[in-house]
């Protein structure tokens, strides 16, 4: 499970490396790790730990406490319904050495949420890549050599009912993602009631 930041131990003056993401359910993280072990040889790349499997919405970089507070307030004003995500696509970006799971048809809600968080980040001075958003869950890193990509994914699906802000912490040779804050998305029932 992704660790929750202990508020008392956070050094409020130091910039933190932050990103918005969708967490994957724990059982799905375990299923993906098992599927990955069955489908990739160990030399394919460095596997991402189960607890670190996530879908990035917006990368913010090193952010001051004041800027993080503004971004958290803006995130709290987002009101949109949750959506279902099916990880039915797979690919390899040899340039960045990433093997990923993605969506053949990303739900519109996912694209809207990422777009909103990215434009809020850009307006708050967090550099945003000009590359188009390609929703994905990184499975392996350091995959710079050609790899046989399985024809089919595990086809895992989940309902995204909240999105979260994480801090990325690198210590003792390991990257850990600490949960900073989560925001619920409206349930589909509420949305249809409101129509
Ligand atoms: O695992 P993914 O690719 O979804 O790649 C990093 C990871 O996303 C991405 O932020 C997530 C948490 O670390 N990331 C790291 N540095 C980045 C950068 N400079 C970056 N994304 C864009 N620009």
């Amino acid at each position: 499970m992704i660790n929750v930041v202990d508020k008392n131990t956070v050094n409020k003056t130091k910039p933190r490396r932050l990103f918005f993401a969708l967490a994957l359910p724990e059982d799905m993280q375990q299923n993906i790790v098992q599927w990955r072990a069955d489908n990739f040889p160990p030399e394919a790349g460095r596997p991402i730990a189960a607890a670190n499997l996530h879908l990035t919405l917006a990368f913010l970089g090193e952010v001051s406490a004041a800027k993080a507070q503004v971004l958290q307030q803006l995130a709290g004003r987002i009101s949109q319904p949750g959506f279902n995500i099916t990880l039915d696509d797979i690919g390899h970006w040899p340039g960045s050495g990433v093997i990923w799971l993605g969506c053949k048809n990303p739900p519109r809600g996912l694209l809207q949420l990422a777009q909103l968080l990215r434009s809020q980040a850009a307006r708050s001075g967090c550099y945003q890549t000009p590359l188009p958003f390609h929703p994905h869950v990184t499975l392996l890193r350091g995959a710079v050599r050609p790899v046989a990509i399985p024809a089919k994914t595990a086809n895992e699906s989940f309902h995204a009912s909240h999105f979260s802000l994480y801090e990325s912490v690198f210590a003792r040779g390991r990257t850990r993602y600490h949960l900073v804050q989560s925001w619920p998305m409206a349930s589909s029932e509420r949305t249809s009631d409101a129509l």
Side-chain angles (χ1 to χ4, degrees), residues 17 19 54-56 59 129 136 138 141 168 177:
R17 191 175 173 83
F19 63 99
H54 66 275
L55 194 155
T56 301
F59 178 73
T129 170
H136 65 277
T138 298
R141 290 195 190 279
S168 174
Y177 299 141

Side-chain angles (χ1 to χ4, degrees), residues 17-21 48 52 54-61 93 98 100 118 127-129 134-139 141 166 168 175 177:
R17 191 175 173 83
L18 301 177
F19 63 99
F20 286 104
I48 302 299
N52 282 0
H54 66 275
L55 194 155
T56 301
L57 296 165
F59 178 73
L60 306 176
W93 294 326
V98 166
W100 49 266
R118 283 167 179 240
Y127 172 80
Q128 294 299 294
T129 170
H134 186 289
H136 65 277
V137 175
T138 298
L139 287 181
R141 290 195 190 279
Y166 292 98
S168 174
T175 299
Y177 299 141

Side-chain angles (χ1 to χ4, degrees), residues 159-173:
H159 182 73
S161 56
H162 63 279
F163 66 96
S164 306
L165 180 66
Y166 292 98
E167 179 181 10
S168 174
V169 177
F170 185 76
R172 282 178 250 135

Side-chain angles (χ1 to χ4, degrees), residues 101-171:
L101 289 177
C103 315
K104 285 187 177 139
N105 292 301
R108 197 176 327 160
L110 168 60
L111 302 179
Q112 281 170 347
L113 178 61
Q115 171 60 35
L116 196 48
L117 289 168
R118 283 167 179 240
S119 56
Q120 289 179 345
R123 283 202 300 274
S124 305
C126 299
Y127 172 80
Q128 294 299 294
T129 170
L131 293 173
F133 175 59
H134 186 289
H136 65 277
V137 175
T138 298
L139 287 181
L140 298 147
R141 290 195 190 279
V144 289
R145 302 222 180 105
V147 182
I149 296 293
K152 276 191 180 172
T153 70
N155 224 28
E156 294 278 342
S157 293
F158 71 107
H159 182 73
S161 56
H162 63 279
F163 66 96
S164 306
L165 180 66
Y166 292 98
E167 179 181 10
S168 174
V169 177
F170 185 76

